[in-house]
Amino acid sequence: MALFKKKEKVNDEFTVLPKHIGIIMDGNGRWAKKRGLPRTAGHRAGADVFEKICKECGRLGIEEVTFYAFSTENWKRPKEEVNTLMRLFYDFLIEAKDRIAETGNIRIKFAGERAGIHSELLKLMDEAEATTADRTGTVVNLAINYGGRQEIVSAVNKLIAGGKTEITEQDISDNVYTMPDCDLIIRPSGEERLSNFLLWQAAYSEFWYSDVLWPDFDEEDLHMALHEFEKRNRRFGG
Ligand code: FPP
């Protein structure tokens, strides 16, 4: 009889997986600059990587991934760059809602402030949320027009509007944009900061940084982050 029980595997590759991953897709501009291309080319390449990583998360059985796609501060970027990003979101949502074979069995959710987003894109986001709601694969939260502080303020305002005069942590958790606590934050491109991403949900997140620029990020990089996560000893302050 074996003395030690083999560690049970969640799939063939990992013994433990984060339930909710947050990804900061950083480095598109630098990737383009290195190649003498406009920043928009970096975002296009980044959008392809986003789709690839969504699929891989689905294959691995990750429950939920939140991608930081556009912050409340990103409106300050040149108009052409903002328009390209909005177009990429639009094209992806059309694909995700209608072509399950291409984007996988993902469920799309939106995380961010609606005010400021073009009505056509909002309509499509609502449609994509509705048409993918019954899917059983990975939940993909698109953080668009997202700011972590704004998210907390908006949750508190919702609670005040609902008549609350005393607020608990659970109240805020219940009123941030639908996401559960985040287990792992991945940030490529050499920057080691949170940049106003998932401030509430990241209270006990593990962090994984890498020098690779987002358009060069691939399944191997995701696996490296997940293997590192497997080794972390999470104590949640206890
Ligand atoms: C930050 O890198 C990246 C962004 C502001 C945009 C991220 C968006 C995408 C990758 C497109 C995702 C597409 C879909 C469909 C969700 P940066 O451009 O600021 O890089 P830099 O720091 O090198 O300049």
Side-chain angles (χ1 to χ4, degrees):
M1 198 176 81
L3 280 179
F4 298 101
K5 219 173 136 194
K6 253 188 170 175
K7 240 183 175 183
E8 221 169 275
K9 293 214 159 197
V10 290
N11 58 32
D12 283 347
E13 293 136 290
F14 298 95
T15 51
V16 62
L17 280 172
K19 280 200 166 121
H20 179 199
I21 306 178
I23 303 186
I24 303 178
M25 301 183 283
D26 197 12
N28 300 342
R30 276 163 285 166
W31 181 91
K33 195 171 174 206
K34 266 172 56 181
R35 287 162 179 77
L37 297 169
R39 294 178 58 80
T40 48
H43 295 315
R44 284 202 185 87
D48 290 342
V49 173
F50 156 78
E51 288 202 29
K52 189 161 75 177
I53 296 304
C54 279
K55 279 188 201 143
E56 184 59 6
C57 286
R59 191 188 71 77
L60 292 169
I62 305 280
E63 284 179 27
E64 190 149 352
V65 196
T66 302
F67 290 91
Y68 205 1
F70 194 90
S71 75
T72 42
E73 286 71 42
N74 286 153
W75 296 109
K76 293 183 218 140
R77 296 198 174 194
K79 202 162 183 269
E80 195 205 346
E81 186 173 342
V82 170
N83 288 346
T84 299
L85 284 165
M86 296 299 148
R87 181 86 235 172
L88 287 170
F89 304 150
Y90 196 89
D91 291 347
F92 168 72
L93 289 171
I94 298 245
E95 211 188 8
K97 96 183 162 63
D98 297 331
R99 299 212 293 273
I100 192 167
E102 268 148 70
T103 55
N105 187 27
I106 52 172
R107 181 171 169 194
I108 306 280
K109 283 192 185 170
F110 164 66
E113 283 298 301
R114 295 175 70 90
I117 298 182
H118 195 285
S119 57
E120 283 293 302
L121 183 57
L122 280 179
K123 200 170 138 229
L124 185 59
M125 291 190 318
D126 291 341
E127 261 177 65
E129 274 196 12
T131 52
T132 63
D134 294 332
R135 293 194 190 159
T136 52
T138 302
V139 173
V140 171
N141 297 305
L142 282 182
I144 297 176
N145 199 18
Y146 176 89
R149 286 186 173 177
Q150 168 64 50
E151 178 178 33
I152 298 168
V153 169
S154 139
V156 171
N157 280 331
K158 265 190 251 166
L159 290 160
I160 293 172
K164 279 262 179 190
T165 49
E166 220 177 288
I167 290 167
T168 63
E169 287 192 12
Q170 193 57 48
D171 287 331
I172 297 190
S173 292
D174 292 343
N175 281 278
V176 286
Y177 308 122
T178 71
M179 292 169 281
D181 277 0
C182 184
D183 302 299
L184 173 67
I185 301 259
I186 293 178
R187 182 166 195 161
S189 97
E191 311 289 358
E192 298 185 2
R193 53 177 173 261
L194 203 46
S195 300
N196 205 15
F197 185 49
L198 300 184
L199 294 187
W200 184 262
Q201 298 87 341
Y204 287 102
S205 279
E206 299 295 323
F207 287 87
W208 188 84
Y209 303 106
S210 147
D211 285 340
V212 66
L213 301 173
W214 177 251
D216 291 326
F217 190 93
D218 62 15
E219 292 91 341
E220 278 296 296
D221 294 298
L222 177 67
H223 294 181
M224 269 197 272
L226 294 175
H227 280 304
E228 178 66 36
F229 179 82
E230 272 185 318
K231 290 190 233 145
R232 301 273 174 99
N233 175 15
R234 303 184 79 201
R235 293 185 299 278
F236 298 95

